Amino acid sequence: MRWAAAVTGLAMGAWPAAAQRLTLAGSLSFAEHRVDAGFGLERTAGLIGGAVLGGRLGGIDVHAQARTGRLLLRSATGTDLEIAELGLGASWWLRPWFALRGAALVRGYSADVARQRWRMAELGAELRVPFAANRARGVVRGGWRPAVTVSGLSRPNTAFAAAAGTECDVTRFSFAIFYELERYDFPSQGGMKRFEQLSALTLQARVHGRW
């Protein structure tokens, strides 16, 4: 993940000089990871903590994110997992309530016996529906991941991510709760299909300002 860390560091260093507005967010997710490779369902779950630095550059929202946590075994087979992720993303707001989104992510799953690295690119959109005098909004996001590489595996045939939730503004702060879902279906090998799914209930707090 060294290249992603370097890109994230450069972006974070450049934004304070150029961004019109900066946001800093922290998140806590209860996540569940499911894998079925034809030998039964392997399920792990646990807490993932994250941080996001965002800014607005010429009408485009950009952000860098990092998150990590430990997922404990919840099934008869499998092993505990350590998860770590770095990402960069951008949202182009065509309307105040609609944006096109793009992102690049690197994720690692580490276990006692092996380590697996994921590299992903995402293209998608976000819809916001305001209510409560525009101090709160419903949010729906969806994205297709056309470029996914996984160490030791073929590229998935299907890869997508989606999220839905609510955000609320309180002075310079905003608070949100989201349900997030990622799904990956891999091609059949040896007559067996593999799918992976990562879902999470995420709480997020964000502070807005100019620095």
Side-chain angles (χ1 to χ4, degrees):
M1 295 186 183
R2 289 191 296 269
W3 68 270
V7 172
T8 301
L10 287 173
M12 293 172 70
W15 285 347
Q20 302 169 15
R21 182 192 64 182
L22 292 178
T23 63
L24 179 65
S27 66
L28 183 65
S29 304
F30 178 77
E32 181 186 60
H33 181 247
R34 292 174 174 244
V35 180
D36 190 340
F39 303 101
L41 180 66
E42 298 180 9
R43 177 174 168 263
T44 56
L47 295 177
I48 299 175
V52 181
L53 177 63
R56 174 159 291 183
L57 301 173
I60 298 178
D61 287 343
V62 294
H63 72 267
Q65 68 179 42
R67 60 178 185 167
T68 185
R70 184 172 178 82
L71 306 178
L72 303 179
L73 185 63
R74 295 288 192 269
S75 60
T77 60
T79 184
D80 296 346
L81 297 175
E82 299 280 352
I83 180 173
E85 181 180 282
L86 293 171
L88 295 172
S91 299
W92 179 29
W93 289 94
L94 301 176
R95 296 288 187 273
W97 47 270
F98 180 75
L100 298 178
R101 303 175 66 248
L105 303 100
V106 177
R107 177 184 299 159
Y109 292 105
S110 299
D112 293 337
V113 295
R115 177 178 297 176
Q116 188 181 69
R117 180 175 294 179
W118 292 56
R119 294 185 176 93
M120 297 171 281
E122 179 180 329
L123 299 173
E126 178 174 327
L127 176 66
R128 295 184 176 181
V129 181
F131 58 93
N134 208 34
R135 299 197 65 83
R137 65 203 68 85
V139 180
V140 178
R141 301 180 188 132
W144 170 52
R145 295 187 168 176
V148 177
T149 60
V150 185
S151 58
L153 296 174
S154 302
R155 292 175 181 265
N157 293 328
T158 304
F160 69 86
T166 303
E167 294 180 340
C168 181
D169 297 328
V170 181
T171 62
R172 290 178 58 194
F173 298 88
S174 63
F175 302 91
I177 182 170
F178 290 99
Y179 176 74
E180 302 172 290
L181 176 68
E182 300 177 18
R183 169 75 181 215
Y184 306 91
D185 291 350
F186 291 85
S188 177
Q189 292 184 341
M192 293 184 179
K193 291 186 177 181
R194 177 189 180 96
F195 80 83
E196 292 201 29
Q197 179 175 296
L198 181 65
S199 59
L201 182 64
T202 298
L203 301 175
Q204 186 180 79
R206 187 184 304 265
V207 60
H208 309 266
R210 296 174 183 271
W211 292 285

